[in-house]
Amino acid sequence: MCGYQAAGAAPFVAGKMIDEPETVATAIRIGHPQSWDLAWIAQKESGGWFDKFSDEQILAAQKMLSQYEGIFCETRFSDFTGRCIARYCHRKNS
């Protein structure tokens, strides 16, 4: 399991709750996740990780999807999609 969070609202990346999360991706502006313990268990059991994505990267991914694929998505989906694209491109060029 991997989890991507907006950098200004990334409690799992920080390893602690975020009191005043801030990001353009308002749907994922969560500093105190309800499933905190369950998410950590899933991450550990799967050998996965958490990572963050800046607001600039979120908006760039959103723009790229609309520009090249004709797909509009909310900013909450752009962070994950953008990171997946970045990981794919990194592996492809390695």
Side-chain angles (χ1 to χ4, degrees):
M1 182 211 77
C2 61
Y4 295 105
Q5 299 183 298
F12 292 109
V13 175
K16 63 180 183 164
M17 300 288 186
I18 306 292
D19 288 333
E20 295 183 32
E22 192 57 48
T23 176
V24 296
T26 56
I28 58 172
R29 188 184 295 160
I30 301 168
H32 292 255
Q34 287 185 316
S35 300
W36 176 263
D37 294 332
L38 294 174
W40 281 113
I41 290 168
Q43 180 264 330
K44 285 179 178 43
E45 288 179 355
S46 70
W49 67 91
F50 295 109
D51 202 355
K52 61 186 175 182
F53 216 44
S54 71
D55 282 350
E56 292 79 17
Q57 290 170 308
I58 290 170
L59 294 172
Q62 184 183 42
K63 181 179 179 181
M64 184 182 73
L65 285 169
S66 65
Q67 209 170 24
Y68 296 107
E69 300 299 330
I71 299 170
F72 174 78
C73 64
E74 293 182 30
T75 52
R76 67 179 165 168
F77 298 115
S78 299
D79 68 333
F80 179 75
T81 305
R83 187 56 73 175
C84 289
I85 292 167
R87 283 198 177 270
Y88 171 78
C89 291
H90 174 73
R91 286 186 189 150
K92 191 174 179 182
N93 293 326
S94 296

